[in-house]
Amino acid sequence: MARALELAKLAAEAGEVPVGAVIVDPATGEIVAEGANAPIAGHDPTAHAEIVALRAAAAKLGNYRLTDLHMYVTLEPCAMCAGAISLARIGKLVFAACDPKGGAVIHGARFFEQPTCHWRPEVEQDEAAGETASALLKAFFRARRA
């Protein structure tokens, strides 16, 4: 999660919403891929940190199925990202900050609880990192409103 938080800070420095994600092989502890929010820079509304990391991991491994890998992300995934996580068959999702407005894992649509969801990762919240991620997001948006 520490690397995901670093990526979130880099996203903020680039003017993007500060969200970072890493995909890890739990058997080796190796970071397989990482991503930071980049919809503005990439002119791509789908360039959320999770999607960026999923694309990189799939390309690196030569397979769109990322079964048994773990994703660490600084913010509760939205519906689009939860859907992509499910399609990639990520084994475990760990997120830091809750997103009551846009999240779709424990808020909103609760994507993985829907009967139409064919793959459900194990889900865990890292509450300690959530405080750091939340503070980073609040500072980013506070500066935007100033």
Side-chain angles (χ1 to χ4, degrees):
M1 187 62 79
R3 178 61 183 154
L5 287 165
E6 289 174 17
L7 292 164
K9 290 175 187 171
L10 292 173
E13 290 170 9
E16 302 279 0
V17 174
V19 179
V22 296
I23 296 176
V24 175
D25 181 341
T28 64
E30 172 195 2
I31 292 178
V32 175
E34 57 186 36
N37 262 10
I40 297 167
H43 309 290
D44 179 359
T46 69
H48 290 195
E50 300 95 323
I51 303 292
V52 172
L54 288 168
R55 287 176 179 158
K60 180 177 182 177
L61 299 176
N63 193 340
Y64 75 99
R65 290 192 174 173
L66 306 175
T67 309
D68 297 328
L69 298 181
H70 294 183
M71 176 180 277
Y72 296 83
V73 62
T74 59
L75 183 64
E76 177 183 354
C78 68
M80 174 184 70
C81 292
I85 289 164
S86 175
L87 291 171
R89 290 166 173 71
I90 289 290
K92 183 176 183 177
L93 168 68
V94 181
F95 69 92
C98 286
D99 186 356
K101 186 175 179 182
V105 176
I106 63 171
H107 294 94
R110 297 182 183 202
F111 186 86
F112 302 128
E113 296 176 21
Q114 300 308 311
T116 54
C117 178
H118 298 294
W119 180 270
R120 293 166 179 83
E122 178 184 343
V123 175
E124 179 182 311
Q125 184 183 5
D126 182 341
E127 293 181 18
E131 293 176 24
T132 303
S134 181
L136 184 60
L137 285 156
K138 287 175 182 174
F140 176 82
F141 287 112
R142 191 178 312 113
R144 290 284 182 269
R145 288 190 282 276

